[in-house]
Amino acid sequence: MSHATTTPRRIRDIRASHPSQDGDGVKILRLHDFEGGLDPFLMLDELGSDQPDDYIRGFPPHPHRGMQTLTYVIHGGLTHEDHLGHSSTIHAGDAQWMHTGRGMIHSEMPLTDAQGLHAFQLWINLPARDKLSPATYRDIRAQEMPRLDADGATLIALGGHWQDASAEIDGPLDALAGNAGVADARFEGGTLQLMGLTDDTLLVYVYRGTLDVGEQPVTAGHLAILDAGDALTLSATGSAGALLLRGTPHREPIAHYGPFVMNSRHELEAAMQAYRDGTLTE
């Protein structure tokens, strides 16, 4: 494997998540940018509580158009049902991917375990050419996700290509919009030295502990946006966890209203009308 000179990626900005609610009163931490600042990513929700009343009523049936969702569970679980007839449950370490395309109507109902629920939902924007494509859905189980292991650190690849100085892996989700990659990096006083990170967009969301992103500490509930480069060192002196997001921006207009993400106000109005008259998924 080549060991050519690398350029470290450094933090350009740090954004804090903020408390919000969605679905039927589900309490979440949310980060979003519908102005293109995280392109191709739109929103990241973190669901985390040991109090069932904070989440147990879940997300009753609702529509989507124009984006993909990726749901990933740390502990607890979620049951998905949709208009296409899919019905499945994911547990700790599993993921659900949904390409809403022209239209998807689905529900997500939480399950609890001894630690309550801890999960994420990521929204990835679809390019204009794919916004009215057929809807699809896929479950990914924990055992399908390859890992990069270092002393005191592990990277779990949900999708995309990831490499360090000794190994390369590819996550099973190979149809993420924007050539996106998603990984879960977990630390117990260890270090990951990642290479080949040439994507225009690279984000690190810390969900547990404090993580040194390059040379700068980032605490739980914060998103680091990285400058250009191709290498990144992540390290923690204790227990920490982070989601890593990489992708290629679409650089297209974004028009957003509720569960719909299109390129123009006219397209949003068409989506809302289609939902009202029952033709969203046709």
Side-chain angles (χ1 to χ4, degrees):
M1 182 178 293
S2 172
H3 293 278
T5 301
T6 59
T7 303
R9 300 191 71 150
R10 304 190 186 282
I11 293 177
R12 184 177 80 243
D13 190 19
I14 295 178
R15 301 187 187 181
S17 60
H18 61 272
S20 186
Q21 290 191 22
D22 210 332
D24 190 2
V26 178
K27 294 183 179 180
I28 57 178
L29 290 175
R30 172 168 287 175
L31 280 151
H32 64 84
D33 189 334
F34 291 95
E35 304 298 323
L38 306 176
D39 193 3
F41 306 104
L42 297 165
M43 187 168 72
L44 179 64
D45 284 350
E46 180 177 7
L47 299 73
S49 177
D50 58 4
Q51 300 298 317
D53 286 348
D54 288 346
Y55 60 81
I56 203 65
R57 292 185 299 277
F59 304 89
H62 59 280
H64 286 291
R65 174 179 281 186
M67 30 73 86
Q68 297 180 344
T69 67
L70 175 57
T71 304
Y72 176 57
V73 175
I74 301 294
H75 57 75
L78 288 159
T79 295
H80 164 103
E81 295 183 351
D82 64 42
H83 79 280
L84 295 173
H86 300 121
S87 179
S88 62
T89 299
I90 56 173
H91 300 281
D94 299 338
Q96 293 173 337
W97 170 77
M98 187 170 67
H99 176 101
T100 72
R102 176 174 179 81
M104 179 76 88
I105 297 175
H106 78 134
S107 64
E108 295 164 296
M109 302 308 294
L111 306 172
T112 188
D113 63 17
Q115 296 175 287
L117 175 70
H118 190 189
F120 301 92
Q121 185 169 98
L122 174 68
W123 285 20
I124 311 173
N125 198 17
L126 283 169
R129 66 177 182 273
D130 294 332
K131 284 193 178 291
L132 299 182
S133 58
T136 56
Y137 172 87
R138 181 182 178 187
D139 280 343
I140 299 294
R141 301 300 172 183
Q143 59 268 28
E144 300 176 65
M145 302 175 190
R147 298 177 175 228
L148 288 175
D149 289 309
D151 186 18
T154 298
L155 181 142
I156 304 167
L158 284 70
H161 183 77
W162 302 91
Q163 69 182 89
D164 61 13
S166 60
E168 301 182 25
I169 57 174
D170 290 283
L173 288 171
D174 56 5
L176 298 176
N179 299 310
V182 179
D184 178 11
R186 302 181 181 186
F187 301 82
E188 296 297 335
T191 298
L192 285 171
Q193 294 182 317
L194 302 175
M195 305 167 59
L197 297 172
T198 56
D199 314 75
D200 286 352
T201 297
L202 179 62
L203 312 172
V204 178
Y205 177 73
V206 179
Y207 64 80
R208 184 179 71 247
T210 298
L211 185 66
D212 287 339
V213 180
E215 300 176 351
Q216 188 169 345
V218 180
T219 56
H222 291 80
L223 179 79
I225 303 172
L226 283 298
D227 268 338
D230 60 4
L232 180 64
T233 299
L234 302 170
S235 62
T237 56
S239 179
L243 291 185
L244 311 184
L245 312 175
R246 57 187 298 188
T248 303
H250 302 310
R251 296 188 173 90
E252 296 176 347
I254 298 172
H256 163 247
Y257 181 80
F260 306 124
V261 184
M262 304 302 291
N263 296 105
S264 70
R265 184 69 196 177
H266 173 76
E267 292 170 338
L268 279 182
E269 292 170 353
M272 290 184 283
Q273 182 60 44
Y275 181 58
R276 286 192 293 266
D277 62 25
T279 62
L280 180 79
T281 62
E282 294 179 0

